[in-house]
């Protein structure tokens, strides 16, 4: 990832954007943090937020007219936060803090003429920034009178003026302001600010100031527009003038990058979906401490986090896309050392839910997919991350499992049925039944058993994906390029992307048009629908499935996350391979999404949910029912899944095409049974029965094994490719009882392969 790509990605994630209230405030008071502290009754700490942001804080906090209220997201859920009242309570009750310490002197002299609120605030801002400020005015009566109308005493203003002097400003009250004085003062300073509300136009008329810079026709002279009634905007004009004078004295651009001065519209999105409406706490008589706390707690602490709210993966790693993009960039930039983000990158399900809910369409899955491709390209992808899934894909496309035939007795196909490798692994008998039904009602329907290549795509292995799709295309063309009937939503999505020249239709659309088979279940009932994440943007597919369920009398309950907001079951993106514990967590949360038993049309969703103990059916179980396929049947293990594919192919070849199945490997003749510990370890470590059989065959034929004298158990190993498999066993005549198995990637020096 290049730095420009990183910056583009970071700019699209709006989580760190400014809350609307802060953006709308001309002085950008951090109302979010202020309310959080006030809600905790940390009034003194809250005051420091105001004191560091506001000029003349003891005055301005008492008269703030809260223009932020118009932008407050809370206004649509009971009413905007009473920020002005909270500020006043804080000013009246917090412990006083010392005035800010000015920056080191800039050795630049600035004259302020006029002591209205704008002039005083301009003097405050520039003194704080290290300018040598001298303020000339006839008196402070103008400011005192304005504040008196707002209920602020003259003593409070005098206190803030004293702070201004403490900070280093020079005050020249009782000065008769005249045109000659203004002209002479210009000669003796680097820049001048004139408070138009406290100086008559006859004395200093430089025309209307520029809206952005407040500059006038006279170089180095700045002024404000007259008759601004909002005290916050008056203070903001003083700050804008200070910003301009700072630029002017530094000789830099007066206009560049000033978009965020004053009020602006933030990109931050905050949802009110889970926010209860609550009216503001009345502050007509001022707030008590409890009332102030209660009003501050109404602040919803605006943030986006829409993707993190719905995605367990994003939530698990305790960040958000902007943070993750930076981590991925750093991960790719490491030359030596540990890449800390590998697990995070390989744990994304790539389901697209984040993009669906993101106001900016940020797709974390696409970022992680590109990162995986880069890791493959650079050779930094851990071998263990997706190795088993890719081996499984190779098996599904290998001689033992793959099959392509026209329908029995015909030489051409109008359709070919593509059930997908996971359906044949989990429910081979239902695939047989579905294929029989298609042949019966559509006649010339061929069959293609293999993997669509999704595991290679998810793993970031583009070359392998292209190779798999190329073989699939060649096989399909060998059948005469028939229309492809697809049952798996992931296969449907993958094939439509990889075979754009093919006419591809879902099995569910075919069945909706034909009607359920005669054998379909008539039991009916109420079930929760689980939409697979692969069907997120396929509304037609979702409708077809619901129509079929209605056709077999099933009343559907819609969980919160259905349709285009469907959540991943934990299998997508090979999460279950790279991060099994997180995958289990996702499946458990999916299972808890409804009280009813689930029905779904992705067999991996069914199996992942079933692993949690929740009853779940695949739609085939209702359309082609069998006693062995109840909702409480367990999810088949890894070895059984392979066995099912191989046996299905053998059975179909024998029964439909009257051909012999493939020849058995020598290790397949090894008879073996397993202890509970061994069976559990095999599932956790992705060790197949065939792996164990190869070790036992090797031990039997070579006699190379260790003997445990304490229990008589034998121990042997074999390393077929890159993983060494160990098997602890005992002989039972010609058979074997396996007590334990494990594996590792270490190569045993001097050991055999």
């Amino acid at each position: 990832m290049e730095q420009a790509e990183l910056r583009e990605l970071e700019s699209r994630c709006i989580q760190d954007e400014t809350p609307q209230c802060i953006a709308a405030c001309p002085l950008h008071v951090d109302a979010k943090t202020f309310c959080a502290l006030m809600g905790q009754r940390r009034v003194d700490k809250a005051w420091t937020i105001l004191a560091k942001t506001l000029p003349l804080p003891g005055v301005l906090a008492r008269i703030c007219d809260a223009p932020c209220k118009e932008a407050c997201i809370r206004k649509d859920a009971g009413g905007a936060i009473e920020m002005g009242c909270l500020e006043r309570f804080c000013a009246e009750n917090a412990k006083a803090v010392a005035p800010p310490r000015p920056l080191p002197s800039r050795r630049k002299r600035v004259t302020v003429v006029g002591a209205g609120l704008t002039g005083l605030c301009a003097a405050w801002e520039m003194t704080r920034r290290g300018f040598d400020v001298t303020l000339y005015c006839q008196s402070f009566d103008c400011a005192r009178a304005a504040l008196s109308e707002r209920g602020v005493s003259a003593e409070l203003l005098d206190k803030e003026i004293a702070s201004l002097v403490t900070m280093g400003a020079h005050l020249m009250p009782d000065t008769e302001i005249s045109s000659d004085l203004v002209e002479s003062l210009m000669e003796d300073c680097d820049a001048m600010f004139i408070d138009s509300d406290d100086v008559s136009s006859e004395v200093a008329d430089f025309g209307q100031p520029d809206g952005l810079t407040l500059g006038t026709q006279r170089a180095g002279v700045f002024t404000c527009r007259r008759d601004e009634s909002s005290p916050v905007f008056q203070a903001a004009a003083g700050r804008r003038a200070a910003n301009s004078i700072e630029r002017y004295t530094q000789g830099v651009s007066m206009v560049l990058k000033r978009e965020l001065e004053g009020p602006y519209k933030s990109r931050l999105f905050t949802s009110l979906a889970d926010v209860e409406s609550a009216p503001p706490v009345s502050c007509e008589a001022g707030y008590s401490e409890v009332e102030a706390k209660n009003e501050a707690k109404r602040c919803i602490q605006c943030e986006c986090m829409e993707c993190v709210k719905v995605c367990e993966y994003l939530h698990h790693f305790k960040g958000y896309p902007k943070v993750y993009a930076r981590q991925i960039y750093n991960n790719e930039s490491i030359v030596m050392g540990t890449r800390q983000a590998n697990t995070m990158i390989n744990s994304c399900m790539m389901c697209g839910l984040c993009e669906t809910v993101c106001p900016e369409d940020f797709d974390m899955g696409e970022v992680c997919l590109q990162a995986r491709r880069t890791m493959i390209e650079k050779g930094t992808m851990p071998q263990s991350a997706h190795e088993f899934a890719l081996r499984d894909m190779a098996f599904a496309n290998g001689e033992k499992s793959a099959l392509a035939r026209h329908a029995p007795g015909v030489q051409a196909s109008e359709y070919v049925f593509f059930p997908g490798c996971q359906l044949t692994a989990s429910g081979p008998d239902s695939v047989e039944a579905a294929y029989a039904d298609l042949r019966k009602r559509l006649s010339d329907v061929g069959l293609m058993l293999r993997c669509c290549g999704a595991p290679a795509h998810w793993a970031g292995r583009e070359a392998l994906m292209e190779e798999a799709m190329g073989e699939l295309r060649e096989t399909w063309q060998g059948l005469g390029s028939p229309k492809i009937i697809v049952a798996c939503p992931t296969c449907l999505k993958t094939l439509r992307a990889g075979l754009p020249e093919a006419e591809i239709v879902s099995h569910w659309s075919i069945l909706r048009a034909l009607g359920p088979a005669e054998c379909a279940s008539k039991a009916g009932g109420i079930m929760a629908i689980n939409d697979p994440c692969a069907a997120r943007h396929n509304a037609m597919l979702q409708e077809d499935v619901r129509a079929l369920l209605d056709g077999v009398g099933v009343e559907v309950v819609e969980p919160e996350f259905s349709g285009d907001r469907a959540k991943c079951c934990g299998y997508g993106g090979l999460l279950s391979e790279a991060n099994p514990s997180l995958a289990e967590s996702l499946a458990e949360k999916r299972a808890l999404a409804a009280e009813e038993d689930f029905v779904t049309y992705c067999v991996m969703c069914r199996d992942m949910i079933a692993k949690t103990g929740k009853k779940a059916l695949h739609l085939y179980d209702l359309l082609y029912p069998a006693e062995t396929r109840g909702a409480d049947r367990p999810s088949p293990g890894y070895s059984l899944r392979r066995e099912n594919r191989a046996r299905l192919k053998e059975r179909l070849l024998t029964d439909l095409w009257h051909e012999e199945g493939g020849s058995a490997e020598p290790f397949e003749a090894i008879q073996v049974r397993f202890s509970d510990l061994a069976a559990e370890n095999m599932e956790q470590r992705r060790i197949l029965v065939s792996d164990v059989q190869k070790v036992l065959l090797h031990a039997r034929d070579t006699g190379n094994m260790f003997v445990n004298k304490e229990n008589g158990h034998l121990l042997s190993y074999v390393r077929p490719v890159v993983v060494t498999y160990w098997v602890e066993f005992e002989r039972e005549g010609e058979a074997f009882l396996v007590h334990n198995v494990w594996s590792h990637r270490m190569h045993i020096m001097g050991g055999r392969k």
Side-chain angles (χ1 to χ4, degrees), residues 23-60:
C25 173
L27 296 170
H28 306 313
V29 171
D30 186 355
K32 178 180 174 180
T33 304
F34 172 78
C35 285
L37 292 168
M38 289 292 289
Q40 301 166 20
R41 298 174 111 167
R42 299 172 65 185
V43 179
D44 292 343
K45 188 71 175 174
W47 176 245
T48 63
I49 300 294
L50 301 180
K52 77 177 182 181
T53 311
L54 299 177
L56 310 175
V59 168
L60 207 55

Side-chain angles (χ1 to χ4, degrees), residues 336-350:
M336 296 184 67
T338 304
R339 292 176 172 81
Q340 302 287 350
N342 284 354
T343 302
M344 183 269 286
I345 292 168
N346 286 321
S347 295
C348 177
M349 300 83 74
M350 301 179 181

Side-chain angles (χ1 to χ4, degrees), residues 179-199:
S179 301
D180 292 341
L181 175 67
V182 170
E183 287 293 334
S184 65
L185 291 175
M186 286 182 198
E187 301 294 328
D188 197 33
C189 66
D190 294 290
M192 174 179 283
F193 175 73
I194 299 173
D195 184 349
S196 298
D197 288 325
D198 197 40
V199 177

